[in-house]
Every structure is written in structure tokens, then in C-alpha cells.
Amino acid sequence: QDAHLARNLAATCANCHGTNGQARGDMRPLAGLPADRIMAAMADYKRGALPATIMHQIAKGYTDEQIRLVAGYFAAQPARP
Amino acid sequence: QDAHLARNLAATCANCHGTNGQARGDMRPLAGLPADRIMAAMADYKRGALPATIMHQIAKGYTDEQIRLVAGYFAAQPARP
């Protein structure tokens, strides 16, 4: 498997959640979040169980495996101090 | 079929493309664009043939039928003067 697959998949998220998920301002940071929390939130967005502006739509474009990879990537990032 | 399905699907796009796709500023308007142009662009985003920040990911979450409905919805909107 491509060693950078997780990072490449997660790159899209930087547009709103900041580089490596180290968000600024009032956007929710992803860096350092437990992977299972990210996966649970994405599953909820995917099935419309969480109100969202665009996350419900973005989540639908990922497979569960891709979400697992992205969640693991952000969990491994140092949270912004 | 739900009479408002197209409009409801298209509501997500308003977050960036403005209400009814009548974008302001430098964001690309969708209102009044020919449906086939919107469908062609979404197909290109979906298969990664068009560079994008998040559109490549957003497009993957729609079926072709949903894209057809959304494109028809925006084509029917009056372009912002």
C-alpha cells in the first residue's frame, strides 16, 4: 500500500481543518484526536446523524477503509499547543 | 420522487457557491450554468481529472443521478445580474 496514502487522503481536510489538522480560529482541530472519535464522527456524518454544512457530503465520498486511514493519520499528528 | 430532492441536494453547495448558486466574490457561480457543463465538471472532479481543493472529494459522494438532479437545479436558477 502507498506509504503516503493516509497523508494524501487527509490532505483534502487541510482546506478547512488546517495543515495536518492543526486548525486555527474556530474550526475544529483534528490533530491528536483519538482515531475512534474521528471514525465515529465520520460514520455519523456519513449516515446523516450529525448536523453539518458540508461534512455529511464529504464523508459520503470516503470508504470506511479510507476513513480509518485518515483517522489514524490525524490521531498521530501532534495537537497544536 | 421528492419534489424538493434536487433543491435539497443542492443546498450543500450553497456553503461555498452561494444561495441557489448565485456566488459572490471570486467563488464560481452555478446559477444559470448549462446542466451538461456542470455534469461534465463534476464527472471530471469525480475521476480526478480536474485540480481541486475539495471538489474532487465532494463529487465522489454523489451518484451520477444526484449530480444530474443538482445540475438541473442550478441550470434552472436565474444567474446573478
Side-chain angles (χ1 to χ4, degrees):
Chain A
Q1 200 186 18
D2 170 359
H4 298 304
L5 179 55
R7 184 203 61 186
N8 295 348
L9 284 171
T12 303
C13 315
N15 290 286
C16 297
H17 292 284
T19 306
N20 293 328
Q22 294 164 336
R24 298 180 180 284
D26 58 5
M27 181 56 73
R28 189 171 302 179
L30 301 175
L33 279 186
D36 54 4
R37 254 183 71 193
I38 296 174
M39 289 168 68
M42 287 294 273
D44 283 349
Y45 282 127
K46 203 167 182 180
R47 59 189 176 83
L50 261 180
T53 51
I54 60 172
M55 280 312 298
H56 61 300
Q57 184 54 41
I58 283 194
K60 288 186 178 67
Y62 288 109
T63 63
D64 290 342
E65 171 58 9
Q66 288 174 325
I67 289 173
R68 194 184 64 72
L69 285 170
V70 167
Y73 176 81
F74 285 121
Q77 303 309 307
R80 213 163 65 86
Chain B
Q1 201 187 14
D2 169 0
H4 298 304
L5 179 55
R7 183 202 61 186
N8 295 347
L9 284 171
T12 303
C13 316
N15 290 286
C16 298
H17 292 285
T19 306
N20 293 328
Q22 294 164 335
R24 296 182 180 284
D26 59 3
M27 182 55 76
R28 187 171 304 180
L30 302 175
L33 279 186
D36 54 4
R37 253 184 69 192
I38 295 175
M39 290 168 67
M42 288 294 273
D44 282 349
Y45 281 128
K46 204 167 182 178
R47 61 189 176 83
L50 261 179
T53 52
I54 61 172
M55 280 311 299
H56 62 299
Q57 183 54 39
I58 285 195
K60 289 187 178 66
Y62 288 109
T63 64
D64 291 341
E65 170 59 9
Q66 289 174 325
I67 290 173
R68 194 183 63 74
L69 285 170
V70 168
Y73 175 81
F74 284 121
Q77 302 310 308
R80 213 164 65 85

